[in-house]
Amino acid sequence: MVNLPPNLSVRNNHLFIGGCDTTELAGTYGTPLYVTDEDRIRDNYQGYVTALSLYYPRTRVLYAAKANGNLSILKILAQEGAGADVFSSGEVHLALLAGMQPGFLLFNGSSKTKEDHRLAVEKGIRVSLDSLDELSQLNQVAKEAGKVVEVSFRVNPALDVPTHPKIATGLATSKFGIPATEILDAYKAALSCEHVTPVGIHCHIGSQILDIEPFAQEARVLMQVVSELHRLGVKFAFVDLGGGLGVAYDHHGSAAPTFSDYAGAVIPVCTDTFSRLGIQPEIWIEPGRSMVCDSTILLTRVNSVKRAHKTFVNVDAGFNTLIRPAMYDSFHEVLVANRAGEAACGTFTVTGPICETGDILAHDRQLPDITAGDLVAVLDTGAYGYAMASQYNGRGRCAEALVRKGEADLMRRAETTQDLMHALVTPSWLK
Ligand SMILES: *Cc1c(COP(=O)(O)O)cnc(C)c1O
């Protein structure tokens, strides 16, 4: 039996989330279905705030909107007081619509358009710059608008971190950030721009990092740079440490570092430097995965079971719905939601409906006897789940439900066949 997180439980052989019976949710809203427990997100946010403020009063959590951009989730976090790391104009609009304050947003990204810059300038959102080219472009846009925009640069700390190569972002060879060796010149250039003021510094080393040491290393590199920039005359309003704290996807194995472990490793590194320099900037962090991952499960219906060289359980969600196993070889626990109290009796491979060999959600799992019509729950799918879903193979994206203390409602309906046609236009010669 897997160790269930506190928002999941088993009653009468059924899996419950946030006090709701998953078999009833699947019956009401159909499958595949993402189900998110609101309280878990609030708890995670408060967990971060509590852990950070134990070390330093001036901290702020900017939720990385790309992990799960549903408006309801952004609203929940806005209610808690969170800001957001936004990476596109679309995310800016969603975050503002959710009620987040422009001053609590940071517009990140290595490839922004003029329209992105205009939006940031118009709304008064700080921008994290990724190149000198971008600095002069933003300065020009701000000049045209007759405004001054506050910025940071993203530093590339050249750190090799223990995670999947596709989500290691702080390597010397990564496309992100400006090398620490060139960062002084970047800030000098920014200080000489009339319509740009550097007020912060930004770094993000990667995702799903289960070791605390890389975060401490990152903080040390960043504090070295902050000291040098302070001497240069940069007045820091914020230091942004990025996101990346990993979660324990394997519920049989060891636990992930806690928010307290994280805060204890990074905040003192920063506050030591701050007191030495006599400055008190805000410390920002940008967690995505660790904020929402364990709030959500994916419910998927078994269409058929095939006994071949393995026993394949063909469900209605594939990598169109959850791409992480196919893209990152990632592991998610699976349970049979309507037999959640039964003992395992065989080895099953859970496969999706997509026309590709790689469409496998879970390899060789010990599960109770499964038959067509059963309901499979894939755990820890709140981060980079729906957010990365596609319409591949002519399948509309599925619905998302929100639950709270036994109450349930949709926060996104499933797409219909009509929605597949939504953006299609016919070239004149095919009419
Ligand atoms: C993706 C990303 C994050 C969040 O990463 P997690 O691993 O989900 O915490 C934070 N900051 C930036 C700049 C990112 O690109």
Side-chain angles (χ1 to χ4, degrees):
M1 223 15 225
V2 302
N3 301 313
L4 292 178
N7 56 328
L8 300 184
S9 59
V10 177
R11 294 181 218 165
N12 307 325
N13 212 18
H14 288 182
L15 180 68
F16 278 62
I17 176 166
C20 295
D21 186 330
T22 54
T23 66
E24 286 175 17
L25 293 171
T28 306
Y29 302 117
T31 56
L33 178 71
Y34 279 101
V35 185
T36 297
D37 179 19
E38 174 170 331
D39 288 342
R40 189 66 186 165
I41 295 177
R42 293 187 190 273
D43 289 349
N44 286 339
Y45 175 80
Q46 289 303 334
Y48 264 120
V49 169
T50 307
L52 294 167
S53 53
L54 209 59
Y55 293 90
Y56 189 61
R58 294 168 54 76
T59 55
R60 185 170 300 288
V61 177
L62 277 68
Y63 167 60
K66 75 173 189 283
N68 189 329
N70 189 292
L71 186 62
S72 300
I73 286 175
L74 295 171
K75 273 188 181 164
I76 291 163
L77 286 164
Q79 285 178 358
E80 294 290 325
D85 146 35
V86 286
F87 228 81
S88 66
S89 289
E91 288 182 358
V92 169
H93 285 298
L94 284 166
L96 294 176
L97 193 60
M100 288 179 174
Q101 299 184 32
F104 295 177
L105 305 182
L106 185 65
F107 202 147
N108 288 320
S110 53
S111 185
K112 301 187 199 80
T113 63
K114 193 169 258 183
E115 286 67 39
D116 293 336
H117 286 148
R118 281 201 194 108
L119 182 65
V121 169
E122 181 203 328
K123 302 287 185 191
I125 295 167
R126 293 188 178 109
V127 177
S128 179
L129 299 168
D130 203 280
S131 64
L132 287 173
D133 196 3
E134 188 186 356
L135 169 66
S136 60
Q137 289 179 22
L138 179 63
N139 188 52
Q140 183 58 32
V141 167
K143 184 179 172 183
E144 284 161 16
K147 293 198 177 167
V148 174
V149 55
E150 295 188 332
V151 303
S152 56
F153 278 99
R154 177 159 171 176
V155 182
N156 182 335
L159 292 180
D160 196 357
V161 298
T163 188
H164 192 284
K166 282 184 188 161
I167 49 175
T169 58
L171 302 171
T173 52
S174 129
K175 74 169 179 176
F176 295 111
I178 294 181
T181 49
E182 294 166 28
I183 202 74
L184 280 178
D185 287 338
Y187 277 84
K188 277 182 199 159
L191 285 169
S192 71
C193 285
E194 262 183 60
H195 295 272
V196 164
T197 310
V199 298
I201 191 157
H202 176 221
C203 194
H204 171 67
I205 54 173
S207 198
Q208 186 53 11
I209 300 165
L210 287 166
D211 238 359
I212 284 298
E213 182 49 28
F215 294 107
Q217 252 178 300
E218 174 204 5
R220 287 193 288 270
V221 172
L222 215 50
M223 287 309 110
Q224 180 66 36
V225 176
V226 164
S227 304
E228 290 168 23
L229 292 173
H230 177 74
R231 278 197 292 278
L232 195 70
V234 176
K235 305 255 177 295
F236 281 100
F238 71 89
V239 168
D240 185 339
L241 298 167
L245 186 61
V247 301
Y249 284 100
D250 183 346
H251 290 248
H252 299 84
S254 50
T258 63
F259 303 143
S260 307
D261 296 336
Y262 174 83
V266 299
I267 305 296
V269 176
C270 300
T271 51
D272 279 0
T273 300
F274 293 171
S275 7
R276 202 161 39 76
L277 302 177
I279 60 174
Q280 280 192 310
E282 289 190 358
I283 296 178
W284 292 1
I285 61 163
E286 301 173 338
R289 188 189 309 273
S290 51
M291 195 98 93
V292 290
C293 186
D294 63 4
S295 70
T296 302
I297 61 174
L298 169 63
L299 298 176
T300 176
R301 189 73 70 187
V302 179
N303 284 327
S304 57
V305 176
K306 180 165 74 175
R307 293 181 199 278
H309 73 285
K310 286 184 174 187
T311 303
F312 292 108
V313 178
N314 299 309
V315 296
D316 61 6
F319 75 59
N320 55 323
T321 306
L322 178 68
I323 204 173
R324 298 190 67 262
M327 184 142 99
Y328 306 122
D329 302 314
S330 53
F331 176 95
H332 287 265
E333 293 286 1
V334 297
L335 302 174
V336 186
N338 58 313
R339 302 176 188 277
E342 293 175 24
C345 75
T347 307
F348 299 88
T349 288
V350 183
T351 52
I354 297 301
C355 180
E356 299 219 19
T357 312
D359 186 29
I360 294 175
L361 289 178
H363 292 269
D364 299 325
R365 301 299 176 81
Q366 301 301 309
L367 297 171
D369 197 20
I370 305 183
T371 57
D374 280 349
L375 187 66
V376 168
V378 186
L379 307 193
D380 305 308
T381 51
Y384 311 107
Y386 188 94
M388 288 184 158
S390 74
Q391 295 179 331
Y392 185 45
N393 245 182
R395 293 170 183 276
R397 279 166 290 215
C398 71
E400 294 179 287
L402 187 68
V403 298
R404 186 188 66 160
K405 299 180 174 66
E407 200 184 345
D409 209 344
L410 280 184
M411 58 176 176
R412 185 176 338 239
R413 66 162 174 83
E415 289 174 340
T416 62
T417 310
Q418 279 303 310
D419 292 317
L420 293 180
M421 314 298 165
H422 180 71
L424 295 177
V425 288
T426 307
S428 57
W429 62 89
L430 290 181
K431 277 180 181 154

